[in-house]
Amino acid sequence: MISVSQALDLLFDLAGPLPAETVPLSQANGRILAAPVTARRDQPPFAASAMDGYGVQADGVAPDATYQVIGEAAAGHGFDGTVNAGQAVRIFTGAPVPKGVDRVIIQEDTTRDGDTITLSDTLDRGFHIRPAGGDFRNGQQVEAPLRLRPADIALLAAMNIADVPVVRKPRVAILSTGDELVMPGETPGPDQIIASNTFGLQAMLRDLGAEARMLPIARDTRESLEMAFSLVDDADLLITIGGASVGDHDLVGDVAQDLGMQRSFYKIAMRPGKPLMAGRLASGAMMIGLPGNPVSAMVCGQIFVIPVLRAMLGLGSAPAPTQQAPLAHPIDANGPREHYMRARFDNGVLTVFDNQDSSLLSFLSQANALVIRPPNDPAQAMGAQVAFLPI
Ligand code: AMP
Ligand code: MG
């Protein structure tokens, strides 16, 4: 059995970065920027007024001074002339600042009578002019890789970038296996249960920006599994769930290998999730075979599938980032396998659940952290700092 970090390295060997594609800006949110993009203009492209008021020469501004209003500059409609001493232009937020103007007197500091304005006896000290290029300059770059957020989308729009190079979405096929499984909403027979981690994993993958589709549930027969494998098509990654142990009905590994899968590894020294399998299918797709137990499958999703997807998206090959926090109570020594314990992280301390059975989704749903115990970690006292993964 190999360690978690050895398994991750082998998985990264299988997970190449995906190619880029171009999408319209309106489709780019949440996608990974694949190459740096460059501003096509200065923003603002001209010195612009930051307030509604009057544009004047800063020299000569004094309480009670008077000016003659000679024109107007609005957003989208500049004033063409030059403003000399004693003259003012009515100006609005976003308007280009006319020649000669280097200060905007806010409207509240003026009184107007016909074409004459008089400044107040006390004046706001701001000049209220946004310099040209004050936000960004032509040629300025947004670096890749970057998961684009709404603020980035606004920035790219302002840079006049209408089409965005992004990493193609990873195409993932998810295959549940087992005679006992039916889909949510169906009526299970007396010996059946509902396929659950299938949906949890699909949600996890979609959160990361993958296209995750479910194949029909495969039964525990060679024919049914072969049929399911034939539907993998152009997927970059096949995730199988269940059927990977040593039971008589655990056929996934055998069938995959008979169909040409080159196995990279099988079995990891971890809890939950020992019967994990990975390799490359004849189609070129990567395959990860997850254990069927619902919590095992979801934990392996966090520890292995998410980092693999990040690698495919060009975000680097690194384990899921952990944090450290003190334990709210003592915990027993760990066995020989790395253990990912369901826990709560609240108010800066970790409470590890008593029941760590890998079939219990209700506890996983209550957990917001996995406390990571190295192999043979001794008992830990209350207050001991331990590593955990927020989930
Ligand atoms: P297996 O790895 O196929 O032996 O499955 C281990 C356990 O996980 C069994 O109790 C299965 O019923 C259960 N199981 C397998 N696949 C799923 C699934 N997609 N959703 C929920 N439970 C599953
Ligand atoms: Mg099974």
Side-chain angles (χ1 to χ4, degrees), residues 10 32 73 174 190 328 339:
L10 291 168
I32 310 298
I174 306 174
H339 195 179

Side-chain angles (χ1 to χ4, degrees), residues 207 250 304 314 316 318 381 387:
D207 267 359
D250 293 327
F304 299 109

Side-chain angles (χ1 to χ4, degrees), residues 176-177 180-181 193-198 241-245 250 291-294:
S176 298
T177 70
E180 74 281 30
L181 301 176
I193 61 167
I194 316 292
S196 57
N197 47 36
T198 330
I241 302 166
S245 272
D250 293 327
N293 262 322

Side-chain angles (χ1 to χ4, degrees), residues 145-356:
L146 172 72
R147 188 181 291 278
L148 295 168
R149 300 173 304 137
D152 304 314
I153 300 296
L155 177 63
L156 296 191
M159 290 178 160
N160 201 11
I161 294 162
D163 299 299
V164 188
V166 294
V167 180
R168 174 165 72 60
K169 287 187 178 193
R171 294 190 282 256
V172 186
I174 306 174
L175 173 62
S176 298
T177 70
D179 288 351
E180 74 281 30
L181 301 176
V182 299
M183 295 291 266
E186 288 179 6
T187 309
D191 302 332
Q192 290 189 304
I193 61 167
I194 316 292
S196 57
N197 47 36
T198 330
F199 286 81
L201 285 158
Q202 184 183 48
M204 193 183 275
L205 292 161
R206 286 187 172 161
D207 267 359
L208 274 168
E211 253 171 36
R213 78 191 151 92
M214 281 180 207
L215 301 177
I217 295 170
R219 299 306 164 195
D220 291 318
T221 64
R222 285 187 161 267
E223 298 68 44
S224 182
L225 283 165
E226 280 167 12
M227 163 63 139
F229 273 88
S230 76
L231 300 174
V232 171
D233 281 348
D234 62 353
D236 302 300
L237 171 64
L238 169 67
I239 295 182
T240 63
I241 302 166
S245 272
V246 292
D248 294 347
H249 305 285
D250 293 327
L251 302 170
V252 170
D254 284 354
V255 170
Q257 273 177 288
D258 290 350
L259 292 173
M261 188 261 266
Q262 282 177 296
R263 188 142 94 188
S264 168
F265 65 81
Y266 173 48
K267 288 196 179 164
I268 299 184
M270 73 181 282
R271 270 203 304 162
K274 178 169 125 189
L276 192 102
M277 177 191 322
R280 187 173 303 289
L281 300 177
S283 70
M286 177 175 177
M287 171 180 159
I288 301 179
L290 299 180
N293 262 322
V295 174
S296 310
M298 294 298 287
V299 169
C300 288
Q302 295 280 350
I303 307 300
F304 299 109
V305 180
I306 289 179
V308 160
L309 264 272
R310 289 179 56 85
M312 287 181 165
L313 287 165
L315 296 172
S317 302
T322 58
Q323 300 176 17
Q324 297 268 331
L327 288 168
H329 55 89
I331 50 176
D332 291 340
N334 186 29
R337 290 192 270 152
E338 189 157 318
H339 195 179
Y340 291 82
M341 306 183 86
R342 275 68 77 204
R344 285 285 315 174
F345 179 56
D346 290 313
N347 306 316
V349 291
L350 287 159
T351 305
V352 180
F353 296 164
D354 285 337
N355 194 333
Q356 294 290 328

